[in-house]
Amino acid sequence: IDMGNGNSLTIAGRYFSKRYYTLYQNPFSISSSPGGEKGLYIGLLVTPFPYTSINANINTYKNSWLKYQKFAPTNGYKGRITITHNFSRNNVLSVCLRIDDRDEASNEYSKQIERGRRTSIKLQYNHIYNNCITFKTIAEKIKFNQKNEHSNGFWISEEIATKLIKEKFKFTIQLAHFDAENYDSRIYATQPEILYSMQMPSYIGKGVLQIAQIYYSPIKMIDIWFWCRHVKYFDKNTIGSGHNQIDSSDKTDIKLQTRIKLRYWKRRN
């Protein structure tokens, strides 16, 4: 609903029967298998002051069918409010508060359902210098509370991206420190990636992260990406599990991608 002056309201309800199933499903729902779910979504976007916007939404749901590691029907809600202020064209500050309140199993071996709440507050500041260097500073605090469990998580990062030689050469680095006590207080973080690739990995434990990405286009037909990520944990001696387990406290990933653009010319009659 358009309320004018950049303000809008969104209301969406949903209901899925217990027998609902499609092979290539992507419905608007909390769970990836939404059978037996019903809920209500309300979103609001307002601009109370010049250069300031408030985006808030709440998504309530109730499951009348069993879900993964849930031994009884569950319910909950997710809420988010984001306040963004543009100091200028090159300086943007945003604060985001998220709340995820839901029924959870007390532990993976118990059939008892208890209420759990995951709260996160995120501060992000973007600054563009001289139209060629971008700075992105992010700090996030996460707190998880359940009846017999309390845990915290923290993330702080700095990302610097540059564009040189008429955008033929781009260089991006990201430095971060994270500290998440367990899985419930894990940190999800976006990161620079190569073309057609997107990841939002979760980080558990205490450590540091370094990511470097280089883009170079020697000629118009060829684009080259080089990506490297290094993670160092201070509280682990092994990373991963099973066949992917590494007997070390640090891990390095490297990607190299090349794109060759082929052109076709039509003959003139």
Side-chain angles (χ1 to χ4, degrees):
I1 302 174
D2 188 0
M3 299 185 295
N5 298 324
N7 305 322
S8 63
L9 174 67
T10 302
I11 301 175
R14 62 189 184 278
Y15 171 79
F16 301 98
S17 67
K18 298 177 182 179
R19 297 183 178 180
Y20 175 83
Y21 176 78
T22 57
L23 184 60
Y24 301 103
Q25 58 182 345
N26 190 20
F28 178 72
S29 62
I30 293 292
S31 175
S32 58
S33 53
E37 179 181 314
K38 60 181 178 180
L40 178 66
Y41 172 88
I42 301 176
L44 179 66
L45 175 62
V46 295
T47 53
F49 310 105
Y51 310 109
T52 302
S53 65
I54 300 176
N55 190 346
N57 61 71
I58 184 170
N59 191 1
T60 64
Y61 61 93
K62 184 177 181 180
N63 295 312
S64 58
W65 199 242
L66 303 182
K67 298 296 181 180
Y68 176 69
Q69 290 189 343
K70 307 292 191 306
F71 302 95
T74 56
N75 64 82
Y77 69 88
K78 288 186 176 183
R80 183 183 68 176
I81 179 170
T82 304
I83 303 175
T84 304
H85 180 73
N86 295 269
F87 294 97
S88 65
R89 184 178 181 182
N90 297 329
N91 295 274
V92 180
L93 176 66
S94 65
V95 180
C96 180
L97 173 65
R98 290 187 178 95
I99 298 177
D100 186 358
D101 191 286
R102 64 174 69 186
D103 292 329
E104 295 281 358
S106 57
N107 57 67
E108 60 179 331
Y109 305 105
S110 174
K111 294 184 179 182
Q112 184 179 358
I113 300 297
E114 296 178 351
R115 200 69 173 181
R117 171 176 289 189
R118 191 172 189 266
T119 305
S120 70
I121 182 168
K122 180 179 179 181
L123 176 69
Q124 179 171 330
Y125 177 70
N126 296 342
H127 172 67
I128 302 177
Y129 175 75
N130 201 24
N131 293 325
C132 63
I133 303 178
T134 302
F135 299 89
K136 182 189 294 183
T137 305
I138 297 176
E140 185 174 4
K141 172 69 175 179
I142 294 177
K143 186 175 183 180
F144 178 80
N145 290 318
Q146 206 172 21
K147 183 178 180 180
N148 299 319
E149 182 181 352
H150 306 278
S151 59
N152 296 276
F154 180 73
W155 167 280
I156 185 169
S157 66
E158 180 67 36
E159 181 177 321
I160 304 174
T162 64
K163 299 178 181 179
L164 303 173
I165 316 175
K166 296 182 179 181
E167 298 191 1
K168 289 186 175 182
F169 179 83
K170 299 179 183 179
F171 180 71
T172 304
I173 60 172
Q174 184 185 62
L175 305 176
H177 171 76
F178 58 90
D179 187 357
E181 295 179 2
N182 53 34
Y183 178 80
D184 294 319
S185 58
R186 62 196 180 277
I187 304 291
Y188 286 99
T190 58
Q191 60 187 26
E193 267 290 352
I194 59 178
L195 185 66
Y196 306 133
S197 178
M198 180 179 177
Q199 293 187 31
M200 188 176 287
S202 61
Y203 295 95
I204 304 171
K206 186 176 182 180
V208 293
L209 167 71
Q210 302 101 27
I211 296 179
Q213 177 179 282
I214 299 175
Y215 163 80
Y216 179 59
S217 178
I219 58 177
K220 290 184 178 181
M221 296 178 59
I222 299 178
D223 298 317
I224 302 172
W225 287 267
F226 174 79
W227 181 88
C228 180
R229 177 180 63 185
H230 179 77
V231 185
K232 171 68 176 180
Y233 289 93
F234 302 135
D235 57 349
K236 294 182 181 181
N237 295 322
T238 60
I239 301 175
S241 60
H243 297 291
N244 296 323
Q245 180 173 315
I246 299 175
D247 295 326
S248 176
S249 60
D250 59 317
K251 178 183 179 182
T252 302
D253 298 298
I254 296 176
K255 297 179 183 179
L256 180 62
Q257 181 178 5
T258 302
R259 180 177 67 174
I260 301 176
K261 294 176 285 187
L262 303 179
R263 298 183 179 182
Y264 299 88
W265 288 268
K266 296 182 179 180
R267 292 184 179 181
R268 294 183 179 179
N269 295 329

